Amino acid sequence: MASLVRRSPRLSPQIFIPIAHLWNVILALVCISASVNIWGLSDFGNLGRPVQVFAAVVVLVPVVIALYISVGLLLHSLRKNPSGWLPKGHQTRYAAMVFYYVGMVLCAAALVETWAIFDGFEFLVNGFMANAWLGYGFALAYVLSWLSGRTFLPETLKRTLRYASLVTGFGTLIILLAASDFVGGMTSILSTYRQFNVIALTIAILVFAFLATQFLLHGEHFGERPHERTSWQGWLLLSPNIIGFMIFFAGPLLLSFYLSFTNSTVGRTPEFIGLQNYIDLMTLEFQTQTNLADPPQRALSFGFNVLGTLELGNTRYVLGAKDPLFWLSLRNTLLFCLLLVPLGVLPALGLSVVLNSSLPGVKIFRAIYFLPSVAAVVGTALIWRWLYDPVIGFYNYIITSVVNFLNTLGLNVVDPQIQWLTDPNVVLFSIVFLAAWQILGYNTVLFLAGLQGIPKQLYEAAQIDGANRWQQFLNVTLPMLSPTTFFVLITTIVTGLQVFNEPYGLFPARPIPVNATTSVFYLYNAGFFQFRFGYASAIAWVLFVIIFGITFLQFRFNRSNAYE
Amino acid sequence: MTKLRFYLGRLLAYALLIGFAVFMLFPFIYMMSTSLKNSNDVFRVPPQLFPLSPVQREVNGTLKDVYSFEIDGRVREMVQTGESRNFGFFTTPDRINLNNTRNSNIIAQVPIDEALKTDKTITLTRADGKEARFDVYEVTLDGKTEQLLLAYRSGLAEFVAIDDETVKLYAVARTAPKQEFIDFQWGNYNAVLNLQLDRALVNTTLVTLLVVVGQLVTSILGGYAFSRVEFRGRDTLFLVYLGSIMIPFVVLIIPMYRLMVLLEWQNRIVSLIVPWIFTAYGTFLMRQFFIAIPKEIEEAALLDGCSRFRVLWGIFVPLSTPAIATLAIFSFLYAWNSFLWPLLIIGEGNVTNHVLTLSLIRLSNSFADQPNMVLTGAAIAILPPVIVFVLAQKYFIEGVASSGLKG
């Protein structure tokens, strides 16, 4: 049967099961004392009492699992086959394997952090900066390996080249590590073995590893059923993903949800404030005002600011919000998406239809259109900032040239002299044009792939029925392309809803114009300029609901399509 | 007739394609051209694409810009002497532009000390009702003395011919016809790299390399488990994984930042790498590809006693080069171009650990009046992905196309 690792010598269960019991007791004691410790801490990373209590409880989970394993082992050694929720033999084994494996990984991570190995990235860069010529070594290794893959060379030469490239590459790497003070780092790691926690962690890793392997190898002893024999391999292969997912996704997601109900900020313990953030964020007030001489602000209650007014006859309708900037940023974002969809999708559809007509040179054009989507948005935003410059920028120069040309034809056109980055009525368009330029080629490639998937017979049948090009496009291409179109629309909208880099790079002055403030930019301001972490989390969740709704729509649509 | 229509259609199609190609490429062309300009050249109005430098000649031991003026039908090379002289610009009342006197129709341009000021003044009324008063001068024009209005006065620079010091003339230095030649300022790249962008480049390369390798490893392992190993809870886990793709990064910004602070990872390169090597999207991509590989190949190998790792490394990885290339390219672009996360974690202050996108913002702040430097930085950040794209175009296009087809 399939095995993940080569079989290694097994110890008798009489030896490792007592060790497991002993280890469980030690772990339980350590975890209980850690839990008490966390409970009593006066400050827990500024995250607040609920998170602290949660952490104290989480630390107790290993105690429960250790107890579960020990009970299971005892029952199993007494040859009892327990009923109900009591652990059965194979369940005990699984629990032990997972438990000891995760323990090993966590201890290893803690050890790596204690050794400050992650500082090695900086040292590596230092070493490379001091010896930039090492770059030639890697380049040479790449060239050699490239040459070794050419088919026209004789086999022996290729093999020599392959070895040469490996030697050059690894040799350069070793020199780089040496230059990055890797040896010094290693000796300093050895010197940390004078510390108690380093020794403890190392022993813990070894014991965890030993126990995990022993439980793995003694499947039969615990009555493993044959069809379960490879089950652990799946979990092992997935374990890096699952651990990373827990630490860098699921955990933060929960924390974000919790923070959105607190007034978390820098240097203060957050308090639970219920839905207050959402209320402050979303509350609107609608009032009418009959005395038009009054300022609109007067119609609103305390704490509200004017979002918009509308005058009809003798009444003025005033819309106020507790946080008008949030609503404005949301309006900007939605307007941005609304403009991005026609500008970034329609030309892409047109271009893909032209590209699909098997003209020579199509691949070159496709590559050119795709080019902007590989470039960093910050970089392209800086390019466009200067293209938008009202004096030395090319866009106004082109507009002026066209206007002058039209004027020589006798038309009387006024040069608009657009202030792309300062005129409040224009700034949003400036972002949209940049974003549309950047996403256009991507969408073209998506459409092109969709078009190439449409069977040719459909067009032939339509031609026989006497449909002209336009009718074919309307009645064959568009319906057949609708899944792709839907996908393109959704990805464009979801990208658009999260727009941040474009306004950040485009506008040199801070704060950026109000009409260019997008929702994510507003979140960034709230979180990292005002340090209102709780409030910013609430913004994030509101955004998430919008984005999720749109993505969900796509999943539903795809599913209904698949069953057709 | 049909042939004509065919060619006309072709012509139209190519016109459209080329038009869009120019539109798509132009910002890049502008970036390259600006990055090769000198600091004066970038402020030329109207703008032009070729990087130009002034022709310089050594005159009396100093290097001077050369101008060419046409004097008496002969083009002469001249240089500025450094002297200037105050000129009066004279005209008649009917030729004057009252809104902007500098736009008046000037009929005489004479050194102000060669014109004779009279006691007379003329007062004219502008369209908006305001009055403007002008001094009247006696000016000698073609040997004839005339009384003219002084529209405005301005200092003009003195130019002298290189080969003949007696040939002199006065002109506005800014608009004088300077001799220029196309001159690429490759030194800009060196200058910008020396502003710690070299370190940012190395940082970015290291981060990108490790993120790509890390994502490949976790995705291949995870994708294989999801597609080939049967275990309890697999399908539920896969659904959870799929669901996590739908969660946008914005939700995680704040808590991830807090987590990094808690781990004391802020301001460090590790925070740009380790959290990013786990990818639900990549795992999903690899799973979709692996699932299409016939089971028989694997079963034969497993029966022969190959371990799972041998099967994965020896059979699945070589068979799925296209999927791996696609994933590598996507994660490369993502890591190389990422901006929001480095901005939050490293910030604009800690220059040593900057990645290129951050350095670009720093550059654009400190060189707000030197677009050539800023766009040189942009070129350094943008060119590597562009080069990779040109080399591995097939995989980029196929990867994007397949993401659309599968939905």
mmCIF file with all atom_site columns, all heavy atoms in Angstrom, chain A residues 141-159:
data_model
loop_
_atom_site.group_PDB
_atom_site.id
_atom_site.type_symbol
_atom_site.label_atom_id
_atom_site.label_alt_id
_atom_site.label_comp_id
_atom_site.label_asym_id
_atom_site.label_entity_id
_atom_site.label_seq_id
_atom_site.pdbx_PDB_ins_code
_atom_site.Cartn_x
_atom_site.Cartn_y
_atom_site.Cartn_z
_atom_site.occupancy
_atom_site.B_iso_or_equiv
_atom_site.pdbx_formal_charge
_atom_site.auth_seq_id
_atom_site.auth_comp_id
_atom_site.auth_asym_id
_atom_site.auth_atom_id
_atom_site.pdbx_PDB_model_num
ATOM 1   N N   . ALA A 1 141 ? 24.670 30.512 -13.847 1.00 0.00 ? 141 ALA A N   1
ATOM 2   C CA  . ALA A 1 141 ? 24.004 29.237 -13.575 1.00 0.00 ? 141 ALA A CA  1
ATOM 3   C C   . ALA A 1 141 ? 22.749 29.109 -14.422 1.00 0.00 ? 141 ALA A C   1
ATOM 4   O O   . ALA A 1 141 ? 22.470 28.052 -15.000 1.00 0.00 ? 141 ALA A O   1
ATOM 5   C CB  . ALA A 1 141 ? 23.646 29.141 -12.090 1.00 0.00 ? 141 ALA A CB  1
ATOM 6   N N   . TYR A 1 142 ? 22.014 30.221 -14.550 1.00 0.00 ? 142 TYR A N   1
ATOM 7   C CA  . TYR A 1 142 ? 20.789 30.178 -15.349 1.00 0.00 ? 142 TYR A CA  1
ATOM 8   C C   . TYR A 1 142 ? 21.110 29.911 -16.814 1.00 0.00 ? 142 TYR A C   1
ATOM 9   O O   . TYR A 1 142 ? 20.477 29.075 -17.465 1.00 0.00 ? 142 TYR A O   1
ATOM 10  C CB  . TYR A 1 142 ? 20.018 31.495 -15.208 1.00 0.00 ? 142 TYR A CB  1
ATOM 11  C CG  . TYR A 1 142 ? 18.811 31.529 -16.091 1.00 0.00 ? 142 TYR A CG  1
ATOM 12  C CD1 . TYR A 1 142 ? 17.661 30.819 -15.743 1.00 0.00 ? 142 TYR A CD1 1
ATOM 13  C CD2 . TYR A 1 142 ? 18.822 32.217 -17.308 1.00 0.00 ? 142 TYR A CD2 1
ATOM 14  C CE1 . TYR A 1 142 ? 16.565 30.810 -16.568 1.00 0.00 ? 142 TYR A CE1 1
ATOM 15  C CE2 . TYR A 1 142 ? 17.726 32.204 -18.141 1.00 0.00 ? 142 TYR A CE2 1
ATOM 16  C CZ  . TYR A 1 142 ? 16.592 31.500 -17.766 1.00 0.00 ? 142 TYR A CZ  1
ATOM 17  O OH  . TYR A 1 142 ? 15.509 31.470 -18.584 1.00 0.00 ? 142 TYR A OH  1
ATOM 18  N N   . VAL A 1 143 ? 22.142 30.622 -17.335 1.00 0.00 ? 143 VAL A N   1
ATOM 19  C CA  . VAL A 1 143 ? 22.506 30.449 -18.750 1.00 0.00 ? 143 VAL A CA  1
ATOM 20  C C   . VAL A 1 143 ? 22.921 28.998 -19.003 1.00 0.00 ? 143 VAL A C   1
ATOM 21  O O   . VAL A 1 143 ? 22.501 28.373 -19.995 1.00 0.00 ? 143 VAL A O   1
ATOM 22  C CB  . VAL A 1 143 ? 23.637 31.430 -19.132 1.00 0.00 ? 143 VAL A CB  1
ATOM 23  C CG1 . VAL A 1 143 ? 24.184 31.097 -20.512 1.00 0.00 ? 143 VAL A CG1 1
ATOM 24  C CG2 . VAL A 1 143 ? 23.123 32.854 -19.093 1.00 0.00 ? 143 VAL A CG2 1
ATOM 25  N N   . LEU A 1 144 ? 23.732 28.440 -18.095 1.00 0.00 ? 144 LEU A N   1
ATOM 26  C CA  . LEU A 1 144 ? 24.188 27.057 -18.260 1.00 0.00 ? 144 LEU A CA  1
ATOM 27  C C   . LEU A 1 144 ? 22.998 26.097 -18.258 1.00 0.00 ? 144 LEU A C   1
ATOM 28  O O   . LEU A 1 144 ? 22.921 25.183 -19.096 1.00 0.00 ? 144 LEU A O   1
ATOM 29  C CB  . LEU A 1 144 ? 25.158 26.687 -17.127 1.00 0.00 ? 144 LEU A CB  1
ATOM 30  C CG  . LEU A 1 144 ? 26.539 27.353 -17.195 1.00 0.00 ? 144 LEU A CG  1
ATOM 31  C CD1 . LEU A 1 144 ? 27.346 27.015 -15.957 1.00 0.00 ? 144 LEU A CD1 1
ATOM 32  C CD2 . LEU A 1 144 ? 27.272 26.922 -18.450 1.00 0.00 ? 144 LEU A CD2 1
ATOM 33  N N   . SER A 1 145 ? 22.063 26.335 -17.344 1.00 0.00 ? 145 SER A N   1
ATOM 34  C CA  . SER A 1 145 ? 20.921 25.422 -17.280 1.00 0.00 ? 145 SER A CA  1
ATOM 35  C C   . SER A 1 145 ? 20.039 25.582 -18.520 1.00 0.00 ? 145 SER A C   1
ATOM 36  O O   . SER A 1 145 ? 19.483 24.623 -19.027 1.00 0.00 ? 145 SER A O   1
ATOM 37  C CB  . SER A 1 145 ? 20.158 25.668 -15.988 1.00 0.00 ? 145 SER A CB  1
ATOM 38  O OG  . SER A 1 145 ? 18.831 26.018 -16.245 1.00 0.00 ? 145 SER A OG  1
ATOM 39  N N   . TRP A 1 146 ? 19.954 26.818 -19.023 1.00 0.00 ? 146 TRP A N   1
ATOM 40  C CA  . TRP A 1 146 ? 19.188 27.052 -20.248 1.00 0.00 ? 146 TRP A CA  1
ATOM 41  C C   . TRP A 1 146 ? 19.821 26.290 -21.412 1.00 0.00 ? 146 TRP A C   1
ATOM 42  O O   . TRP A 1 146 ? 19.145 25.626 -22.198 1.00 0.00 ? 146 TRP A O   1
ATOM 43  C CB  . TRP A 1 146 ? 19.151 28.546 -20.549 1.00 0.00 ? 146 TRP A CB  1
ATOM 44  C CG  . TRP A 1 146 ? 18.369 28.909 -21.771 1.00 0.00 ? 146 TRP A CG  1
ATOM 45  C CD1 . TRP A 1 146 ? 17.013 29.036 -21.859 1.00 0.00 ? 146 TRP A CD1 1
ATOM 46  C CD2 . TRP A 1 146 ? 18.885 29.187 -23.073 1.00 0.00 ? 146 TRP A CD2 1
ATOM 47  N NE1 . TRP A 1 146 ? 16.651 29.364 -23.130 1.00 0.00 ? 146 TRP A NE1 1
ATOM 48  C CE2 . TRP A 1 146 ? 17.772 29.469 -23.905 1.00 0.00 ? 146 TRP A CE2 1
ATOM 49  C CE3 . TRP A 1 146 ? 20.164 29.228 -23.629 1.00 0.00 ? 146 TRP A CE3 1
ATOM 50  C CZ2 . TRP A 1 146 ? 17.913 29.786 -25.241 1.00 0.00 ? 146 TRP A CZ2 1
ATOM 51  C CZ3 . TRP A 1 146 ? 20.300 29.551 -24.961 1.00 0.00 ? 146 TRP A CZ3 1
ATOM 52  C CH2 . TRP A 1 146 ? 19.190 29.825 -25.759 1.00 0.00 ? 146 TRP A CH2 1
ATOM 53  N N   . LEU A 1 147 ? 21.175 26.383 -21.491 1.00 0.00 ? 147 LEU A N   1
ATOM 54  C CA  . LEU A 1 147 ? 21.897 25.701 -22.571 1.00 0.00 ? 147 LEU A CA  1
ATOM 55  C C   . LEU A 1 147 ? 21.704 24.191 -22.479 1.00 0.00 ? 147 LEU A C   1
ATOM 56  O O   . LEU A 1 147 ? 21.552 23.510 -23.496 1.00 0.00 ? 147 LEU A O   1
ATOM 57  C CB  . LEU A 1 147 ? 23.389 26.041 -22.496 1.00 0.00 ? 147 LEU A CB  1
ATOM 58  C CG  . LEU A 1 147 ? 23.814 27.358 -23.127 1.00 0.00 ? 147 LEU A CG  1
ATOM 59  C CD1 . LEU A 1 147 ? 25.295 27.585 -22.895 1.00 0.00 ? 147 LEU A CD1 1
ATOM 60  C CD2 . LEU A 1 147 ? 23.515 27.350 -24.629 1.00 0.00 ? 147 LEU A CD2 1
ATOM 61  N N   . SER A 1 148 ? 21.697 23.670 -21.240 1.00 0.00 ? 148 SER A N   1
ATOM 62  C CA  . SER A 1 148 ? 21.591 22.222 -21.074 1.00 0.00 ? 148 SER A CA  1
ATOM 63  C C   . SER A 1 148 ? 20.238 21.707 -21.554 1.00 0.00 ? 148 SER A C   1
ATOM 64  O O   . SER A 1 148 ? 20.072 20.513 -21.782 1.00 0.00 ? 148 SER A O   1
ATOM 65  C CB  . SER A 1 148 ? 21.806 21.840 -19.615 1.00 0.00 ? 148 SER A CB  1
ATOM 66  O OG  . SER A 1 148 ? 20.659 22.176 -18.866 1.00 0.00 ? 148 SER A OG  1
ATOM 67  N N   . GLY A 1 149 ? 19.278 22.590 -21.701 1.00 0.00 ? 149 GLY A N   1
ATOM 68  C CA  . GLY A 1 149 ? 17.966 22.161 -22.165 1.00 0.00 ? 149 GLY A CA  1
ATOM 69  C C   . GLY A 1 149 ? 17.815 22.215 -23.681 1.00 0.00 ? 149 GLY A C   1
ATOM 70  O O   . GLY A 1 149 ? 16.774 21.834 -24.205 1.00 0.00 ? 149 GLY A O   1
ATOM 71  N N   . ARG A 1 150 ? 18.848 22.725 -24.403 1.00 0.00 ? 150 ARG A N   1
ATOM 72  C CA  . ARG A 1 150 ? 18.742 22.823 -25.875 1.00 0.00 ? 150 ARG A CA  1
ATOM 73  C C   . ARG A 1 150 ? 18.887 21.444 -26.488 1.00 0.00 ? 150 ARG A C   1
ATOM 74  O O   . ARG A 1 150 ? 19.777 20.679 -26.084 1.00 0.00 ? 150 ARG A O   1
ATOM 75  C CB  . ARG A 1 150 ? 19.805 23.765 -26.452 1.00 0.00 ? 150 ARG A CB  1
ATOM 76  C CG  . ARG A 1 150 ? 19.777 25.190 -25.927 1.00 0.00 ? 150 ARG A CG  1
ATOM 77  C CD  . ARG A 1 150 ? 18.500 25.889 -26.199 1.00 0.00 ? 150 ARG A CD  1
ATOM 78  N NE  . ARG A 1 150 ? 17.641 25.820 -25.007 1.00 0.00 ? 150 ARG A NE  1
ATOM 79  C CZ  . ARG A 1 150 ? 16.362 26.156 -24.995 1.00 0.00 ? 150 ARG A CZ  1
ATOM 80  N NH1 . ARG A 1 150 ? 15.790 26.575 -26.090 1.00 0.00 ? 150 ARG A NH1 1
ATOM 81  N NH2 . ARG A 1 150 ? 15.662 26.063 -23.892 1.00 0.00 ? 150 ARG A NH2 1
ATOM 82  N N   . THR A 1 151 ? 18.077 21.142 -27.453 1.00 0.00 ? 151 THR A N   1
ATOM 83  C CA  . THR A 1 151 ? 18.063 19.783 -27.991 1.00 0.00 ? 151 THR A CA  1
ATOM 84  C C   . THR A 1 151 ? 19.221 19.508 -28.939 1.00 0.00 ? 151 THR A C   1
ATOM 85  O O   . THR A 1 151 ? 19.607 18.360 -29.128 1.00 0.00 ? 151 THR A O   1
ATOM 86  C CB  . THR A 1 151 ? 16.751 19.524 -28.734 1.00 0.00 ? 151 THR A CB  1
ATOM 87  O OG1 . THR A 1 151 ? 16.428 20.694 -29.469 1.00 0.00 ? 151 THR A OG1 1
ATOM 88  C CG2 . THR A 1 151 ? 15.650 19.177 -27.758 1.00 0.00 ? 151 THR A CG2 1
ATOM 89  N N   . PHE A 1 152 ? 19.775 20.561 -29.554 1.00 0.00 ? 152 PHE A N   1
ATOM 90  C CA  . PHE A 1 152 ? 20.773 20.310 -30.603 1.00 0.00 ? 152 PHE A CA  1
ATOM 91  C C   . PHE A 1 152 ? 22.142 19.905 -30.048 1.00 0.00 ? 152 PHE A C   1
ATOM 92  O O   . PHE A 1 152 ? 23.008 19.465 -30.780 1.00 0.00 ? 152 PHE A O   1
ATOM 93  C CB  . PHE A 1 152 ? 20.927 21.541 -31.519 1.00 0.00 ? 152 PHE A CB  1
ATOM 94  C CG  . PHE A 1 152 ? 21.285 22.799 -30.773 1.00 0.00 ? 152 PHE A CG  1
ATOM 95  C CD1 . PHE A 1 152 ? 22.601 23.084 -30.467 1.00 0.00 ? 152 PHE A CD1 1
ATOM 96  C CD2 . PHE A 1 152 ? 20.288 23.704 -30.393 1.00 0.00 ? 152 PHE A CD2 1
ATOM 97  C CE1 . PHE A 1 152 ? 22.930 24.244 -29.797 1.00 0.00 ? 152 PHE A CE1 1
ATOM 98  C CE2 . PHE A 1 152 ? 20.615 24.858 -29.717 1.00 0.00 ? 152 PHE A CE2 1
ATOM 99  C CZ  . PHE A 1 152 ? 21.937 25.122 -29.414 1.00 0.00 ? 152 PHE A CZ  1
ATOM 100 N N   . LEU A 1 153 ? 22.308 20.034 -28.720 1.00 0.00 ? 153 LEU A N   1
ATOM 101 C CA  . LEU A 1 153 ? 23.608 19.695 -28.145 1.00 0.00 ? 153 LEU A CA  1
ATOM 102 C C   . LEU A 1 153 ? 23.710 18.191 -27.907 1.00 0.00 ? 153 LEU A C   1
ATOM 103 O O   . LEU A 1 153 ? 22.695 17.525 -27.651 1.00 0.00 ? 153 LEU A O   1
ATOM 104 C CB  . LEU A 1 153 ? 23.787 20.422 -26.811 1.00 0.00 ? 153 LEU A CB  1
ATOM 105 C CG  . LEU A 1 153 ? 23.919 21.939 -26.919 1.00 0.00 ? 153 LEU A CG  1
ATOM 106 C CD1 . LEU A 1 153 ? 23.938 22.551 -25.531 1.00 0.00 ? 153 LEU A CD1 1
ATOM 107 C CD2 . LEU A 1 153 ? 25.181 22.319 -27.668 1.00 0.00 ? 153 LEU A CD2 1
ATOM 108 N N   . PRO A 1 154 ? 24.916 17.634 -27.980 1.00 0.00 ? 154 PRO A N   1
ATOM 109 C CA  . PRO A 1 154 ? 25.075 16.209 -27.691 1.00 0.00 ? 154 PRO A CA  1
ATOM 110 C C   . PRO A 1 154 ? 24.762 15.903 -26.229 1.00 0.00 ? 154 PRO A C   1
ATOM 111 O O   . PRO A 1 154 ? 24.924 16.761 -25.364 1.00 0.00 ? 154 PRO A O   1
ATOM 112 C CB  . PRO A 1 154 ? 26.553 15.931 -28.017 1.00 0.00 ? 154 PRO A CB  1
ATOM 113 C CG  . PRO A 1 154 ? 27.213 17.265 -28.008 1.00 0.00 ? 154 PRO A CG  1
ATOM 114 C CD  . PRO A 1 154 ? 26.173 18.263 -28.421 1.00 0.00 ? 154 PRO A CD  1
ATOM 115 N N   . GLU A 1 155 ? 24.348 14.670 -25.987 1.00 0.00 ? 155 GLU A N   1
ATOM 116 C CA  . GLU A 1 155 ? 23.831 14.284 -24.672 1.00 0.00 ? 155 GLU A CA  1
ATOM 117 C C   . GLU A 1 155 ? 24.861 14.480 -23.560 1.00 0.00 ? 155 GLU A C   1
ATOM 118 O O   . GLU A 1 155 ? 24.553 14.985 -22.487 1.00 0.00 ? 155 GLU A O   1
ATOM 119 C CB  . GLU A 1 155 ? 23.379 12.817 -24.715 1.00 0.00 ? 155 GLU A CB  1
ATOM 120 C CG  . GLU A 1 155 ? 22.362 12.442 -23.658 1.00 0.00 ? 155 GLU A CG  1
ATOM 121 C CD  . GLU A 1 155 ? 21.110 13.323 -23.685 1.00 0.00 ? 155 GLU A CD  1
ATOM 122 O OE1 . GLU A 1 155 ? 20.600 13.619 -24.793 1.00 0.00 ? 155 GLU A OE1 1
ATOM 123 O OE2 . GLU A 1 155 ? 20.666 13.724 -22.615 1.00 0.00 ? 155 GLU A OE2 1
ATOM 124 N N   . THR A 1 156 ? 26.125 14.101 -23.835 1.00 0.00 ? 156 THR A N   1
ATOM 125 C CA  . THR A 1 156 ? 27.148 14.206 -22.782 1.00 0.00 ? 156 THR A CA  1
ATOM 126 C C   . THR A 1 156 ? 27.382 15.656 -22.397 1.00 0.00 ? 156 THR A C   1
ATOM 127 O O   . THR A 1 156 ? 27.497 15.988 -21.217 1.00 0.00 ? 156 THR A O   1
ATOM 128 C CB  . THR A 1 156 ? 28.480 13.605 -23.262 1.00 0.00 ? 156 THR A CB  1
ATOM 129 O OG1 . THR A 1 156 ? 28.723 14.070 -24.592 1.00 0.00 ? 156 THR A OG1 1
ATOM 130 C CG2 . THR A 1 156 ? 28.438 12.092 -23.227 1.00 0.00 ? 156 THR A CG2 1
ATOM 131 N N   . LEU A 1 157 ? 27.418 16.514 -23.418 1.00 0.00 ? 157 LEU A N   1
ATOM 132 C CA  . LEU A 1 157 ? 27.655 17.935 -23.143 1.00 0.00 ? 157 LEU A CA  1
ATOM 133 C C   . LEU A 1 157 ? 26.505 18.497 -22.307 1.00 0.00 ? 157 LEU A C   1
ATOM 134 O O   . LEU A 1 157 ? 26.717 19.265 -21.366 1.00 0.00 ? 157 LEU A O   1
ATOM 135 C CB  . LEU A 1 157 ? 27.776 18.707 -24.464 1.00 0.00 ? 157 LEU A CB  1
ATOM 136 C CG  . LEU A 1 157 ? 28.122 20.186 -24.309 1.00 0.00 ? 157 LEU A CG  1
ATOM 137 C CD1 . LEU A 1 157 ? 29.448 20.367 -23.587 1.00 0.00 ? 157 LEU A CD1 1
ATOM 138 C CD2 . LEU A 1 157 ? 28.164 20.873 -25.672 1.00 0.00 ? 157 LEU A CD2 1
ATOM 139 N N   . LYS A 1 158 ? 25.290 18.066 -22.633 1.00 0.00 ? 158 LYS A N   1
ATOM 140 C CA  . LYS A 1 158 ? 24.139 18.558 -21.891 1.00 0.00 ? 158 LYS A CA  1
ATOM 141 C C   . LYS A 1 158 ? 24.239 18.189 -20.422 1.00 0.00 ? 158 LYS A C   1
ATOM 142 O O   . LYS A 1 158 ? 23.963 18.997 -19.544 1.00 0.00 ? 158 LYS A O   1
ATOM 143 C CB  . LYS A 1 158 ? 22.843 17.970 -22.492 1.00 0.00 ? 158 LYS A CB  1
ATOM 144 C CG  . LYS A 1 158 ? 22.378 18.708 -23.716 1.00 0.00 ? 158 LYS A CG  1
ATOM 145 C CD  . LYS A 1 158 ? 20.890 18.589 -23.912 1.00 0.00 ? 158 LYS A CD  1
ATOM 146 C CE  . LYS A 1 158 ? 20.504 17.336 -24.633 1.00 0.00 ? 158 LYS A CE  1
ATOM 147 N NZ  . LYS A 1 158 ? 19.119 17.343 -25.092 1.00 0.00 ? 158 LYS A NZ  1
ATOM 148 N N   . ARG A 1 159 ? 24.681 16.919 -20.196 1.00 0.00 ? 159 ARG A N   1
ATOM 149 C CA  . ARG A 1 159 ? 24.787 16.475 -18.815 1.00 0.00 ? 159 ARG A CA  1
ATOM 150 C C   . ARG A 1 159 ? 25.848 17.301 -18.076 1.00 0.00 ? 159 ARG A C   1
ATOM 151 O O   . ARG A 1 159 ? 25.628 17.768 -16.960 1.00 0.00 ? 159 ARG A O   1
ATOM 152 C CB  . ARG A 1 159 ? 25.125 14.993 -18.755 1.00 0.00 ? 159 ARG A CB  1
ATOM 153 C CG  . ARG A 1 159 ? 24.840 14.403 -17.380 1.00 0.00 ? 159 ARG A CG  1
ATOM 154 C CD  . ARG A 1 159 ? 24.985 12.891 -17.381 1.00 0.00 ? 159 ARG A CD  1
ATOM 155 N NE  . ARG A 1 159 ? 24.242 12.261 -18.452 1.00 0.00 ? 159 ARG A NE  1
ATOM 156 C CZ  . ARG A 1 159 ? 24.711 11.256 -19.207 1.00 0.00 ? 159 ARG A CZ  1
ATOM 157 N NH1 . ARG A 1 159 ? 25.921 10.813 -19.002 1.00 0.00 ? 159 ARG A NH1 1
ATOM 158 N NH2 . ARG A 1 159 ? 23.971 10.720 -20.149 1.00 0.00 ? 159 ARG A NH2 1
#
